[in-house]
Amino acid sequence: MSIKANIAKINEIVAGYQAELIAVSKTKPVELLLEAYELGVRDFGENKVQELVEKEQQLPNDIRWHMIGHLQRNKVKYVAPFVYLIHGVDSLKLLKEIDKQGQKVGRKIRCLLQIHIAEEETKFGFSPDEVSQLLNDPAFLEMKNIEIKGLMGMATFTEDTNQIRKEFRGLKELFDLLSVQHAEKDNVAMNILSMGMSGDYQIALEEGSNMVRVGSSIFGARSY
Ligand SMILES: *Cc1c(COP(=O)(O)O)cnc(C)c1O
């Protein structure tokens, strides 16, 4: 199928849940991003800072750039001037750095807190206890140049759809709970639940996702 047909199909499904589609364009050449752009896509996700910065310089200004990968603290400064949403915030230290760089460039940088929901040890993210601790930390309350927009999670890479569903359901419950508990905080405005990728976005949508990050089902398999 063509990129056009892929986007049309996924957009139709996503629209049925009033969710948003982030086109994950990592490893893909700017020509392909431009093709998607011309089809109306404005939200692109990348997982490497250097690639994100290079593509941002070459592509139109009205693109919303999503940093979806693990972000190292020493690289925050490169994306701070333009990044639309950082999906993978997984420590207080990283959040402090984002706040600092946000202050330097005079922006309030939107962030999602990444929650560890998968069985795999290797995936980054907070536990539910850790995320509550962070949101109640006095240092967090002082951060004026970040805004917590919601949560992000990645399910276990498995064929077991019940397992995947269970993990997404747990994340939705945590999202609902934290949205209420922290609604009064100045730097919290939780309305984004980023979950679902090519292999599992339909399940994610059924379980309450309102933002899916889809790469290979749009652009084809990645070759590294
Ligand atoms: C690569 C990536 C995706 C998209 O993966 P696909 O399976 O190609 O859809 C989504 N989220 C994150 C964090 C990724 O790194």
Side-chain angles (χ1 to χ4, degrees), residues 24 26 47 68-69 152 154 196-199 213-217 222 224:
V24 175
K26 61 194 190 196
N47 71 338
I68 62 169
M152 186 273 242
M154 282 160 60
M197 318 182 8
S198 289
R213 310 174 310 272
V214 179
S216 42
S217 289
R222 285 177 293 274
Y224 287 93

Side-chain angles (χ1 to χ4, degrees), residues 19-118:
E20 282 186 75
L21 171 62
I22 311 305
V24 175
S25 47
K26 61 194 190 196
T27 78
K28 300 295 176 185
V30 288
E31 291 73 33
L32 283 191
L33 278 74
L34 206 50
E35 190 180 332
Y37 178 87
E38 278 156 9
L39 293 163
V41 175
R42 291 295 178 273
D43 292 274
F44 289 89
E46 292 283 336
N47 71 338
K48 296 240 158 50
V49 167
Q50 194 183 338
E51 193 176 342
L52 176 60
V53 169
E54 283 172 8
K55 285 173 170 171
E56 192 270 339
Q57 287 165 354
Q58 296 173 66
L59 288 161
N61 279 330
D62 60 341
I63 288 178
R64 294 180 287 267
W65 291 101
H66 296 250
M67 176 62 201
I68 62 169
H70 182 66
L71 179 57
Q72 286 170 293
R73 267 183 291 155
N74 60 357
K75 295 193 173 160
V76 173
K77 56 180 174 287
Y78 302 115
V79 300
F82 68 89
V83 71
Y84 183 74
L85 180 65
I86 299 175
H87 290 234
V89 176
D90 61 358
S91 72
L92 179 60
K93 278 181 166 180
L94 174 58
L95 202 57
K96 277 184 182 159
E97 179 63 18
I98 297 170
D99 184 55
K100 183 176 142 193
Q101 296 300 331
Q103 189 174 10
K104 275 193 187 167
V105 296
R107 296 184 71 208
K108 199 182 268 256
I109 300 178
R110 298 175 197 83
C111 297
L112 303 181
L113 300 173
Q114 183 169 355
I115 309 297
H116 181 102
I117 55 171

